[in-house]
Amino acid sequence: MIVTTEKLTKRYGDRAVVDEVSLSVRRGEVYGFLGPNGAGKTTTIRMLLGLVRPSSGTASVLGEAPGTPKALLKVGSLIEGPGFYPYLSGRDNLRVHAHRRGVARTHVEAVLEQVDLVSAANEKFRRYSLGMKQRLGVAAALLGQPELLILDEPTNGLDPAGMADMRDLVRALAAQGQTVLLSSHLLGEVEEICDRVGVISNGRLVAESTVEQLRGDTVLLIKADPIEKAHVLIEGSELRGDVLHVRETDPGALIRTLVHADVDVQEVRPLRRTLEEVFFEMTGVA
Amino acid sequence: MGSVKAELLRLWKWPATWVLIGVWLVMTLTFGYVFNYLALNGGTNTRGQSQQQLISAMQPENVGAAVVRGLPMFGGAIILVLAALAIGSGYGWGTWKTTLTAGPRRVSAMAGTLGALGIIVVLLVALTFVVNLGASITVASLEGWDWSLPGVDVWKPIVASLLIAAMWTGFGVFLGVITKGPALAVGLGLMWAIVTENLLRGVGSLLGPVESLTKVLPGGSAGNLAGAVGGSGAPGVLNDLSGTTAALFLVGYIVVFVGTATLLKVRRDLV
């Protein structure tokens, strides 16, 4: 495990912003940390980076206590938007960051290339578009070849093209075997990119599994005539109005059964709950 | 060391650093030499200073005193603003979170900032010395005075200048950390350096205990040290304490300001 937390809790006064969260991130996976705004994602991430001290519970990042130099030097992060000096160029900002991380200057050029910012590297950070700022944030996170990349809402505020760029970048990193913890409230983003998902709501981790498992089994929708005969023929089917819902792993066999019984099969299609539906069920957000 | 290099790089390339240093150099030249030179050559009011005092203030051998006398109040205020901006701006820009997640321990990150600010402040004092020396030599040459370079005892006002500058830097750092932003830190700092202590000195003429207190406040201690090493004729310069006592108070303030700021930086959540 790259990251583990055990009953990690942060309280401000009586209010638990993060409430006994126990999660785990495995090496090489893209872990989606999913939750509505204010659910506790950023506070959890800040605790993993040592910016915020937990009220109780424990956390381990790459086998080290969060916030220690040993842990931080193996982690690259982008939290709630990039934090850079506006009067410095992108390249100089990375040079400042490289000094702090003890990384050679040559690595700055490599990460600039990786995020496709070489041509704009000498422009002042304040003149960057939001997308460029986010990419510079990812570049800074990549300095020193971290074992774990923590990206907190990396597509926040980006236009659709910028979001697509950022997703492509994360996908490319994942393809190289980079472990990524990606926090987001955008379900499509998580569904598209992540291997496993942790869903947090009101400070509590309400689910943690693969996207597939979260979405549950596929249900087949069948439209047939006569529908009552089809209902009798298919054991375990559920009649919903003029269609059947069937949990079936072999649609071919099912269709053959109906056709052999002279049932007119009009439509067969898989029905799956989207991650969005699952998310709304779990978090109570509508 | 990496933290110092990082902070030095960003402070070196920060326009505010050079604007503030530039403003200070222009001020010290204007009030230290230009106005005195004009007063000497046809001015009608010499602020009660005799011609001999004006000449003495502009002599190259007295450049040490010229450097130190501006620092208790106006120079100090500029240094405080620089330090408060350097620390406070990081909260608004979000650069503290980038710094504190980069790898070094918090105390190392803070030491890096303090170290880089220290280097900038030493540079400021050195530039003030060089610029004042250049101005004094120019004036002496123009006027045809016999002049000599400062003697070895110039180290006293220079060390005093560094100590005063370090105290104001520490004060600015403290305010930047405690207010977690540049605007309030600069506002409070300027208010203290320019207004509050002067008002308290005014009240001190009515109330004895307040008068005693004003002598040992940050600006008062700085003014007394400047006065003890020969600085005179500038706002904020005092002659109520010995140089040693004033220096000890300044060291105390540096320890308290820097210590508290570092402790807060290390222990406080960054949300």
Side-chain angles (χ1 to χ4, degrees), chain B residues 66-102:
Chain B
V67 172
V68 77
R69 71 178 166 220
L71 288 170
M73 192 181 285
F74 296 115
I78 284 178
I79 293 168
L80 182 147
V81 168
L82 176 63
L85 285 177
I87 296 284
S89 300
Y91 290 95
W93 293 332
T95 46
W96 272 118
K97 86 184 166 203
T98 311
T99 304
L100 297 183
T101 53

Side-chain angles (χ1 to χ4, degrees), chain B:
Chain B
M1 200 57 203
S3 293
V4 177
K5 276 187 192 169
E7 288 295 314
L8 204 52
L9 173 60
R10 69 104 173 170
L11 287 175
W12 194 264
K13 293 203 167 194
W14 192 22
T17 304
W18 300 105
V19 167
L20 288 169
I21 290 177
V23 165
W24 167 239
L25 293 178
V26 169
M27 275 177 70
T28 187
L29 276 180
T30 307
F31 290 99
Y33 294 93
V34 175
F35 287 156
N36 282 355
Y37 181 76
L38 292 176
L40 194 65
N41 290 280
T44 53
N45 188 344
T46 57
R47 291 179 297 174
Q49 292 186 67
S50 67
Q51 282 215 333
Q52 199 47 52
Q53 281 173 314
L54 287 174
I55 291 168
S56 174
M58 290 190 285
Q59 285 282 4
E61 65 188 14
N62 291 329
V63 73
V67 172
V68 77
R69 71 178 166 220
L71 288 170
M73 192 181 285
F74 296 115
I78 284 178
I79 293 168
L80 182 147
V81 168
L82 176 63
L85 285 177
I87 296 284
S89 300
Y91 290 95
W93 293 332
T95 46
W96 272 118
K97 86 184 166 203
T98 311
T99 304
L100 297 183
T101 53
R105 288 182 189 284
R106 286 188 178 202
V107 73
S108 307
M110 191 65 180
T113 305
L114 292 169
L117 270 174
I119 291 169
I120 296 286
V121 166
V122 169
L123 180 74
L124 180 143
V125 172
L127 280 174
T128 310
F129 181 81
V130 170
V131 165
N132 280 5
L133 185 63
S136 63
I137 291 172
T138 305
V139 171
S141 303
L142 283 174
E143 293 293 304
W145 299 334
D146 287 333
W147 59 271
S148 55
L149 288 171
V152 284
D153 61 349
V154 74
W155 69 267
K156 284 184 189 170
I158 296 302
V159 169
S161 299
L162 290 172
L163 197 55
I164 293 168
M167 186 279 292
W168 286 118
T169 306
F171 200 175
V173 166
F174 169 75
L175 288 172
V177 170
I178 213 152
T179 61
K180 293 199 269 188
L184 189 56
V186 168
L188 287 175
L190 282 179
M191 182 85 172
W192 181 270
I194 310 280
V195 181
T196 310
E197 282 206 38
N198 282 324
L199 284 176
L200 285 172
R201 272 184 215 129
V203 174
S205 59
L206 304 171
L207 296 166
V210 176
E211 187 178 26
S212 305
L213 178 70
T214 58
K215 292 172 189 168
V216 298
L217 288 174
S221 302
N224 275 303
L225 182 61
V229 295
S232 61
V237 176
L238 304 169
N239 289 293
D240 299 319
L241 298 176
S242 73
T244 310
T245 308
L248 285 174
F249 269 106
L250 286 179
V251 170
Y253 283 122
I254 293 168
V255 170
V256 169
F257 288 145
V258 172
T260 310
T262 306
L263 196 69
L264 282 173
K265 196 84 219 151
V266 169
R267 297 202 57 82
R268 207 161 51 178
D269 285 349
L270 192 70
V271 289

